[in-house]
């Protein structure tokens, strides 16, 4: 069911056997030795049996643990497969074409799919980027994220969910702007992710605006936690969360956020870039269809 959120064992040691000889003659001594050896053989047999039982029990526990880990992931992956197929049915499978008007290549349909553990709980979320050309006002590009919550695939990030942040504003009249995961016509949407301080953040932005937005996934929701921008012809300042900073300050503060960056555009002048991007869909499908193993 799909819903939308507005939201080891103890090991046994062998028992030692004492070989004291208390008999007064060789015959008794020999008997005593034989008895001790027989006891030792018996103990070793019991020990081997115990070790075998322990090994079997450990194997059973390992199998049970593997099944416990695999079953939820298999259910989650199956749900994600359905989500991906639904989007492809509506918007088309990911593809790229040569755009003679833009002088490069552009992607269409569901062109990006990534499994990422944004909140670090050991369970991945599904990030998709989509280029929809069938709209009343032209084409649009947007991203969505699905999470597996309480046994269901749940939409946790989309243009509709993020409307409280505001729509595409006119440049930076209020110091900085925000695009709610959607751009239209010629705007080139940047979708990606970065690792900072051990955590994965989703990153989006528009190249025309030279602004980038960082989102953190926590408690089932995405929140914008960082906004940075470089100078443009309408605003000559470097900005971090709306505050103007020097170029040196911008580089010093921004470089750690860029070190783990992976990014994808829906259009590029480099064929290899679009091939790499659309290739993520097939790679993710292979993981999802292959299960958790």
């Amino acid at each position: 069911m799909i819903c939308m959120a507005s939201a080891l064992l103890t090991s046994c040691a062998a028992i030692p056997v004492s070989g004291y000889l208390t008999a007064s003659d060789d015959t008794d001594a020999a008997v005593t030795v034989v008895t001790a050896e027989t006891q030792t053989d018996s103990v070793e047999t019991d020990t081997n049996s115990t070790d075998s039982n322990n090994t079997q029990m450990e194997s059973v526990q390992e199998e049970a643990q593997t099944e416990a880990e695999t079953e939820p992931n298999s259910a989650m992956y199956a749900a994600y497969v359905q989500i991906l197929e639904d989007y492809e049915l509506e918007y088309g499978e990911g593809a790229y074409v040569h755009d003679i008007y833009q002088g490069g290549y552009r992607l269409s349909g569901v062109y990006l799919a990534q499994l990422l553990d944004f909140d670090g709980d050991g369970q991945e979320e599904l990030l998709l980027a989509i280029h929809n050309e069938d709209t009343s006002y032209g084409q649009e590009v947007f991203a969505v994220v699905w999470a597996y919550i309480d046994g269901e695939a749940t939409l946790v990030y989309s243009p509709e969910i993020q409307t409280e942040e505001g729509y595409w504003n006119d440049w930076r009249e209020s110091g900085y702007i925000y695009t709610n995961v959607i751009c239209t016509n010629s705007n080139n949407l940047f979708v990606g992710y970065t690792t900072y301080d051990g955590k994965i953040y989703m990153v989006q932005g528009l190249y025309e605006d030279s602004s980038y937005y960082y989102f953190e996934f926590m408690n089932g929701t995405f929140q914008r936690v960082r906004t940075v921008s470089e100078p443009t012809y309408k605003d000559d300042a470097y900005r971090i969360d709306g505050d103007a900073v020097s170029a040196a300050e911008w580089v010093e503060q921004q470089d750690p956020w860029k070190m783990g960056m992976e990014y994808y555009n829906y259009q590029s002048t480099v064929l290899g870039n679009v091939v790499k991007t659309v290739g993520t869909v097939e790679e993710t499908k292979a993981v999802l269809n292959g299960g958790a193993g």
Side-chain angles (χ1 to χ4, degrees):
M1 175 181 177
I2 299 172
C3 69
M4 295 183 65
S6 46
L8 273 135
L9 269 176
T10 320
S11 58
C12 296
I15 302 172
V17 177
S18 300
Y20 293 111
L21 302 182
T22 58
S24 58
D25 56 52
D26 293 342
T27 303
D28 290 341
V31 172
T32 304
V33 170
V34 170
T35 303
E37 289 176 351
T38 302
Q39 184 180 2
T40 302
D41 291 342
S42 176
V43 172
E44 289 178 349
T45 301
D46 292 341
T47 301
N48 291 337
S49 177
T50 302
D51 290 342
S52 177
N53 290 339
N54 286 344
T55 300
Q56 291 177 1
M57 192 175 297
E58 288 174 350
S59 177
V60 169
Q61 287 186 338
E62 289 175 357
E63 289 178 4
Q65 183 177 359
T66 300
E67 289 178 2
E69 292 173 350
T70 302
E71 188 173 347
N73 280 352
S74 296
M76 178 180 73
Y77 284 178
Y80 285 168
V81 167
Q82 187 61 56
I83 293 297
L84 186 48
E85 289 177 351
D86 288 346
Y87 277 104
E88 288 182 328
L89 185 62
E90 182 172 0
Y91 299 104
E93 296 183 2
Y96 61 88
V97 298
H98 184 222
D99 190 336
I100 59 175
Y101 299 104
Q102 296 292 334
Y105 304 88
R106 62 178 174 82
L107 292 152
S108 62
V110 183
Y111 67 84
L112 173 68
Q114 289 280 36
L115 288 168
L116 300 163
D117 184 5
F118 283 110
D119 56 1
D121 66 349
Q123 183 170 278
E124 303 131 312
E125 287 71 49
L126 177 64
L127 167 67
L128 302 176
I130 299 159
H131 182 194
N132 178 24
E133 299 183 79
D134 186 20
T135 67
S136 59
Y137 49 82
Q139 58 190 331
E140 66 179 12
V141 183
F142 62 97
V144 296
V145 180
W146 289 78
Y148 197 68
I149 302 174
D150 297 331
E152 295 181 333
T154 304
L155 184 63
V156 293
Y157 189 86
S158 73
E160 293 78 14
I161 291 175
Q162 303 297 338
T163 53
E164 70 276 8
E165 290 278 6
Y167 202 70
W168 171 245
N169 297 321
D170 183 19
W171 292 89
R172 303 178 193 164
E173 293 179 354
S174 60
Y176 64 92
I177 59 169
Y178 168 70
T179 176
N180 66 335
V181 217
I182 190 169
C183 65
T184 59
N185 298 324
S186 64
N187 291 324
N188 190 356
L189 181 68
F190 168 110
V191 178
Y193 57 91
T194 192
T195 301
Y196 176 77
D197 199 22
K199 186 166 187 177
I200 301 176
Y201 293 80
M202 179 168 59
V203 186
Q204 297 192 27
L206 298 176
Y207 272 119
E208 287 79 358
D209 176 54
S210 297
S211 293
Y212 309 97
Y213 312 91
Y214 296 76
F215 298 87
E216 181 179 15
F217 185 52
M218 184 181 297
N219 300 322
T221 62
F222 275 92
Q223 298 293 328
R224 178 168 53 86
V225 294
R226 182 176 177 84
T227 301
V228 299
S229 57
E230 299 176 83
T232 68
Y233 74 93
K234 284 196 172 184
D235 183 356
D236 61 359
Y238 286 92
R239 297 187 183 274
I240 297 178
D241 293 330
D243 297 326
V245 297
S246 68
E249 290 174 322
W250 196 90
V251 171
E252 180 182 3
Q253 295 185 45
Q254 185 61 7
D255 275 359
W257 287 85
K258 294 168 61 178
M259 291 180 64
M261 181 77 74
E262 289 286 341
Y263 61 89
Y264 308 89
N265 300 319
Y266 91 91
Q267 63 184 24
S268 174
T269 57
V270 181
L271 177 59
N273 289 344
V274 293
V275 171
K276 171 188 174 183
T277 300
V278 77
T280 63
V281 180
E282 292 305 316
E283 291 168 2
T284 297
K285 283 182 179 179
V287 174
L288 294 176
N289 291 319

